[in-house]
C-alpha cells in the first residue's frame, strides 16, 4: 500500500517505540552544544567505534506541534535527496524515546561575515552551484542567509534546511517564512510565489552584505523594513566591482520573473573565475605557449563554459560575446 508523507510522519512520531535511548548512547558520544535554533539544538557527536565526528541536530518530541512534525519530516526527506559538495549532508535519522536525532555532516567552519582573505567570487560560485543543484531538482531552500553559509578550508557549505520544500513550476505557494532582512518583496507582500526567485533574492542580499558590510534595507522594525523592501530602491553605485554590481542588479529585481536564474548565475560566476585565472597569469609567454593564438584561447574558454551549462543551452545565451571579447587584449 502506498503511503503519503502525512502517513509516514504520523508513523515516525507515533509508532510504538522500544527503548532506543540506551542503544543510541552505546553507539555515539554526544558532546557540547555547537548551535541552537527555534526548534532544535545541535551538538557535537562522535561514533565510539570510528571516532568520526558528526553534528547531531536534536528535536525534542514533547515540544513539537503536528505542523512542525510535517516540516521535520520534509527536512529529512529533502536532505536525503541531496548529495552536493557545497551542501550539508545527512547520514542517518535516529529516533529515541524523547528525541528525533539527525546525524549530519560536521563542518568545522565559520560564517563568512567573521572571516577575511577568502576569494569572494569562488565563494559565490560555490553558492550558485548549490542553488543551481537544488533548483534543478525542484528544491528551494527558503532561508538563504549568511548564518546558513559555513566556510572551511576554501569550501562553502549551505546548511539548515528547516524551511526547505519541494516546488512545482506550475504551482505557486503562499507561505510566509524566512528571515526578514532576506525576504523577497513577494513574500513580504504575502503573495503566491515560486521558490527559486525568492532564493535568488536572498542570495543577492548575501552578496550585498558581503561587499558592503550592511543590508540594502534597514528599518527600525519589521514593518518599516518591509516597506523599504517593497519600494525596492537600492543604491548599487557603492559596489566597486562592476561585474558584481551587474549581477546584483539582476538578482534584486522587484518582479521575480525578471531575476536571473541560479543556473545563469552559476555559469556567469564560473566565467568570471576562468577570466580572473587567465588574466592573473604573470608570465604571458607561458600563456602564449598554452594558447598559440586568440581563437585557441577563446575556444578553451568555450570548452570550460560548456562544462558548466546544460547541453541544450547556448553559450551566447549565458555569456554574451561582448564578455568573451574581453580576452582579445591578451
Amino acid at each position: 500500500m502506498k503511503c503519503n508523507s502525512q502517513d509516514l510522519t504520523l508513523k515516525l512520531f507515533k509508532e510504538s517505540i522500544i527503548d532506543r535511548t540506551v542503544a543510541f548512547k552505546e553507539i555515539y558520544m554526544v558532546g557540547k552544544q555547537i548551535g541552537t535554533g527555534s526548534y532544535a539544538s545541535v551538538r557535537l557527536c562522535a561514533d565510539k567505534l570510528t571516532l568520526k565526528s558528526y553534528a547531531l541536530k536534536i528535536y525534542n518530541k514533547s515540544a513539537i506541534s503536528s505542523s512542525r512534525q510535517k516540516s521535520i519530516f520534509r527536512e529529512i526527506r529533502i536532505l536525503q535527496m541531496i548529495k552536493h559538495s557545497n551542501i550539508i549532508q545527512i547520514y542517518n535519522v535516529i529516533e529515541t524515546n524523547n528525541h528525533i536525532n539527525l546525524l549530519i555532516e560536521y563542518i568545522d567552519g565559520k560564517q563568512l561575515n567573521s572571516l577575511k582573505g577568502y576569494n569572494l567570487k569562488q565563494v559565490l560560485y560555490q553558492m550558485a552551484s548549490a542553488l543551481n543543484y537544488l533548483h534543478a531538482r525542484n528544491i528551494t531552500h527558503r532561508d538563504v542567509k549568511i548564518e546558513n553559509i559555513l566556510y572551511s578550508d576554501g569550501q562553502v557549505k549551505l546548511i539548515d534546511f528547516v524551511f526547505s520544500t519541494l516546488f512545482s513550476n506550475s504551482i505557486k505557494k503562499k507561505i510566509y517564512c524566512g528571515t526578514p532582512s532576506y525576504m523577497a518583496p513577494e513574500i513580504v507582500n504575502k503573495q503566491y510565489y515560486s521558490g527559486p526567485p525568492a532564493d535568488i533574492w536572498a542570495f543577492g542580499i548575501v552578496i550585498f552584505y558581503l561587499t558592503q558590510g550592511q543590508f540594502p534595507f534597514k528599518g527600525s522594525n519589521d514593518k518599516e523594513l518591509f516597506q523599504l523592501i517593497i519600494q525596492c530602491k537600492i543604491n548599487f553605485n557603492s559596489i566597486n566591482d562592476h561585474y558584481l554590481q551587474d549581477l546584483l542588479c539582476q538578482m534584486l529585481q522587484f518582479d521575480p520573473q525578471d531575476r536571473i536564474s541560479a543556473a545563469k548565475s552559476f555559469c556567469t560566476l564560473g566565467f568570471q573565475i576562468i577570466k580572473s585565472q587567465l588574466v592573473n597569469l604573470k608570465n604571458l609567454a607561458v600563456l602564449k605557449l598554452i594558447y598559440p593564438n586568440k581563437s585557441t584561447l577563446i575556444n578553451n574558454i568555450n570548452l570550460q563554459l560548456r562544462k558548466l551549462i546544460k547541453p541544450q543551452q547556448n553559450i551566447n545565451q549565458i555569456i554574451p560575446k561582448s564578455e568573451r571579447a574581453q580576452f582579445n587584449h591578451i
Side-chain angles (χ1 to χ4, degrees):
M1 183 176 69
K2 189 175 181 180
C3 295
N4 59 34
S5 61
Q6 185 174 1
D7 294 333
L8 291 171
T9 303
L10 292 174
K11 181 181 178 182
L12 178 65
F13 284 89
K14 293 185 177 180
E15 67 178 353
S16 176
I17 301 172
I18 300 172
D19 190 345
R20 299 173 185 171
T21 305
V22 174
F24 176 79
K25 289 182 177 179
E26 286 180 355
I27 300 172
Y28 298 103
M29 297 181 290
V30 180
K32 65 179 181 179
Q33 183 168 298
I34 55 175
T36 185
S38 302
Y39 309 105
S41 61
V42 182
R43 289 185 173 273
L44 190 61
C45 177
D47 186 303
K48 288 183 178 181
L49 183 62
T50 65
L51 299 181
K52 181 176 179 178
S53 295
Y54 299 94
L56 188 69
K57 189 171 186 179
I58 306 168
Y59 288 101
N60 189 331
K61 291 182 184 179
S62 63
I64 299 171
S65 66
S66 58
S67 61
R68 180 50 49 190
Q69 290 177 14
K70 295 177 183 178
S71 296
I72 294 170
F73 176 78
R74 186 175 62 239
E75 176 188 8
I76 292 169
R77 183 160 62 111
I78 287 173
L79 283 172
Q80 289 173 334
M81 294 169 59
I82 297 169
K83 189 171 180 61
H84 188 279
S85 59
N86 299 119
I87 300 175
I88 199 80
Q89 186 176 350
I90 189 170
Y91 295 104
N92 205 350
V93 180
I94 305 159
E95 184 180 12
T96 60
N97 293 22
N98 301 313
H99 301 97
I100 300 296
N101 301 285
L102 278 61
L103 201 67
I104 57 180
E105 182 180 5
Y106 172 62
I107 309 297
D108 186 16
K110 295 184 178 181
Q111 295 174 12
L112 291 171
N113 56 337
S114 64
L115 296 172
K116 292 182 180 179
Y118 59 85
N119 186 316
L120 178 61
K121 287 181 181 176
Q122 285 279 2
V123 163
L124 300 183
Y125 171 72
Q126 291 180 39
M127 269 299 298
S129 176
L131 289 178
N132 180 46
Y133 175 91
L134 293 174
H135 294 174
R137 286 155 182 79
N138 296 329
I139 300 169
T140 181
H141 187 277
R142 297 201 298 183
D143 199 21
V144 174
K145 59 182 179 180
I146 289 174
E147 292 83 352
N148 285 340
I149 304 169
L150 293 182
Y151 182 83
S152 176
D153 296 327
Q155 190 172 46
V156 162
K157 291 282 186 178
L158 180 61
I159 66 170
D160 199 350
F161 279 70
V162 68
F163 288 131
S164 63
T165 191
L166 296 169
F167 70 90
S168 167
N169 291 326
S170 60
I171 301 175
K172 294 186 177 182
K173 299 188 177 185
K174 189 179 181 181
I175 301 173
Y176 183 83
C177 68
T179 301
S181 294
Y182 298 85
M183 285 183 179
E186 60 270 24
I187 297 177
V188 170
N189 277 328
K190 298 183 179 180
Q191 298 172 334
Y192 285 95
Y193 66 93
S194 176
D199 278 351
I200 291 298
W201 173 279
F203 185 23
I205 299 295
V206 167
I207 296 174
F208 192 98
Y209 188 92
L210 291 177
T211 56
Q212 303 303 298
Q214 62 182 7
F215 292 107
F217 311 105
K218 293 181 289 184
S220 57
N221 52 54
D222 284 352
K223 183 178 180 181
E224 187 176 310
L225 171 65
F226 292 160
Q227 287 175 342
L228 293 172
I229 291 173
I230 292 169
Q231 291 172 11
C232 200
K233 294 180 180 178
I234 306 171
N235 180 14
F236 296 106
N237 294 329
S238 58
I239 300 171
N240 296 326
D241 188 308
H242 295 300
Y243 165 73
L244 288 180
Q245 186 182 102
D246 180 62
L247 181 63
L248 277 175
C249 285
Q250 296 180 71
M251 287 179 161
L252 299 178
Q253 289 288 319
F254 179 85
D255 189 335
Q257 294 183 342
D258 292 337
R259 288 175 209 151
I260 190 172
S261 68
K264 190 169 182 180
S265 300
F266 172 54
C267 294
T268 53
L269 280 162
F271 176 78
Q272 287 294 313
I273 291 169
I274 293 169
K275 185 172 73 172
S276 63
Q277 287 174 343
L278 292 174
V279 171
N280 288 336
L281 286 175
K282 295 180 180 179
N283 193 338
L284 289 181
V286 174
L287 185 62
K288 290 179 180 178
L289 183 64
I290 298 172
Y291 305 105
N293 54 59
K294 293 177 184 177
S295 62
T296 306
L297 173 59
I298 297 300
N299 288 338
N300 180 269
I301 293 168
N302 288 345
L303 180 63
Q304 297 297 323
L305 288 171
R306 285 193 179 94
K307 294 177 182 178
L308 301 177
I309 64 178
K310 297 177 182 178
Q312 66 269 26
Q313 288 179 302
N314 186 298
I315 286 178
N316 290 326
Q317 295 174 333
I318 304 298
I319 310 295
K321 286 185 177 180
S322 58
E323 277 282 302
R324 284 181 281 149
Q326 294 180 41
F327 288 95
N328 290 342
H329 70 282
I330 298 177

